[in-house]
């Protein structure tokens, strides 16, 4: 994984084997490699920019580095810079078509920070296809069904439209039998603007 630097992008501490194995800086407790939006939950823009600088340098040496492309897209997504995130996700999918995270996060960037219920049907259908592809590539992870359930509930159900199958209830039930990072789910709800209390309760994983 070329994206893993030898020093922490946040505090400059030199990593040892234990830090690399745990993906955590032992000095400042920051994640070394960003593989999920949940890793950036408590980070503000200046700290995220430090990660971007680190991964930019990696991509200068290895333009198709999977870890760096994914991390860059997640960082820009967290900053709500959806076009920039999209560029790296396109590169990730092109270079690594079997990486499910590329399709998963691309589904989120297609909304460009808007709530699902107010975007066009064509955008929702594109997002659905991307999520379904991610789920096919990584069937043991329930985050894809949860995202798809949230999209379908917010767009179809709340707009009084016929809901495609599988419906949100079935998707959530299936997701509950799989691995789900609840912190990741909370962050995703914020990114697609369905984080008000009723929606959080509707898809609560805790």
């Amino acid at each position: 994984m070329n994206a893993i630097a030898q020093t922490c992008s946040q505090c400059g501490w030199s990593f040892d084997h234990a830090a690399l194995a745990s993906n955590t800086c032992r000095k400042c407790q920051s994640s070394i490699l960003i593989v999920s939006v949940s890793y950036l939950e408590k980070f503000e823009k200046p700290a995220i920019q430090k990660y971007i600088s680190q991964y930019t340098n990696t991509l200068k040496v290895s333009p198709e580095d999977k870890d760096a492309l994914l991390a860059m897209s997640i960082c820009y997504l967290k900053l709500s810079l959806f076009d920039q995130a999209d560029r790296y996700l396109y590169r990730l999918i092109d270079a690594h078509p079997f990486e499910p995270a590329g399709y998963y996060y691309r589904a989120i960037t297609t909304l460009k920070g808007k709530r699902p219920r107010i975007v066009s049907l064509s955008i929702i259908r594109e997002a659905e296809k991307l999520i379904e592809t991610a789920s096919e590539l990584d069937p043991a992870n329930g985050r894809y069904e949860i995202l798809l359930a949230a999209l379908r509930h917010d767009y179809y159900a709340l707009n009084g439209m016929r809901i495609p199958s599988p419906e949100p209830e079935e998707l959530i039930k299936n997701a509950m039998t799989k691995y789900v990072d609840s912190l990741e789910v909370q962050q995703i709800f914020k990114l697609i603007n369905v984080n008000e209390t009723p929606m959080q309760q509707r898809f609560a994983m805790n």
Side-chain angles (χ1 to χ4, degrees), residues 86-192:
D86 232 12
R87 284 205 299 270
Y88 286 99
L89 289 168
Y90 271 117
R91 287 173 59 182
L92 175 63
I93 292 171
D94 184 60
H96 307 280
F98 297 106
E99 172 54 55
Y103 303 95
Y104 170 67
Y105 286 114
R106 264 230 68 228
I108 297 166
T109 62
T110 60
L111 302 175
K112 298 190 182 300
K114 297 178 182 178
R115 184 168 178 167
R117 68 183 300 185
I118 66 171
V119 303
S120 67
L121 177 58
S122 62
I123 290 175
I124 292 296
R125 285 179 173 168
E126 180 182 3
E128 287 176 316
K129 289 179 181 178
L130 288 163
I131 297 167
E132 288 166 357
T133 299
S135 184
E136 290 172 1
L137 291 170
D138 185 19
N141 197 320
R143 65 180 182 175
Y144 313 116
E145 281 109 333
I146 293 176
L147 176 57
L148 185 56
L151 290 181
R152 287 183 172 172
H153 175 79
D154 203 63
Y155 183 78
Y156 296 103
L158 296 187
N159 283 324
M161 302 170 66
R162 183 181 65 82
I163 306 173
S165 180
E167 296 189 8
E169 291 80 5
E170 183 180 348
L171 289 165
I172 291 297
K173 183 178 180 180
N174 193 39
M176 293 291 286
T177 67
K178 303 179 181 182
Y179 167 78
V180 174
D181 181 345
S182 60
L183 183 57
E184 162 89 5
V185 171
Q186 294 169 19
Q187 292 295 304
I188 293 305
F189 285 161
K190 292 179 181 179
L191 288 170
I192 65 173

Side-chain angles (χ1 to χ4, degrees), residues 7-13 28 30-31 43 46-48 50-51 54:
T7 58
C8 178
S9 63
Q10 303 302 312
C11 70
W13 184 71
C28 70
S30 298
S31 296
F43 284 89
I48 296 175
K50 290 180 180 180
Y51 278 120
Q54 172 186 310

Side-chain angles (χ1 to χ4, degrees), residues 18-42:
L20 292 172
S22 64
N23 193 37
T24 303
C25 174
R26 294 174 64 188
K27 182 178 181 181
C28 70
Q29 300 302 305
S30 298
S31 296
I32 298 172
L33 182 62
I34 302 301
V35 297
S36 164
V37 71
S38 65
Y39 285 35
L40 298 176
E41 179 199 13
K42 299 179 180 179

Side-chain angles (χ1 to χ4, degrees), residues 43-85:
F43 284 89
E44 301 295 334
K45 183 176 180 180
I48 296 175
Q49 291 287 2
K50 290 180 180 180
Y51 278 120
I52 289 175
S53 178
Q54 172 186 310
Y55 298 130
T56 297
N57 290 333
T58 297
L59 290 171
K60 288 178 180 178
V61 178
S62 303
E64 295 187 351
D65 186 282
K66 181 175 69 173
D67 299 316
L69 289 170
L70 176 59
M72 286 287 277
S73 65
I74 293 173
C75 286
Y76 281 122
L77 180 61
K78 182 64 176 177
L79 294 174
S80 298
L81 298 173
F82 303 107
D83 290 340
Q84 290 93 323

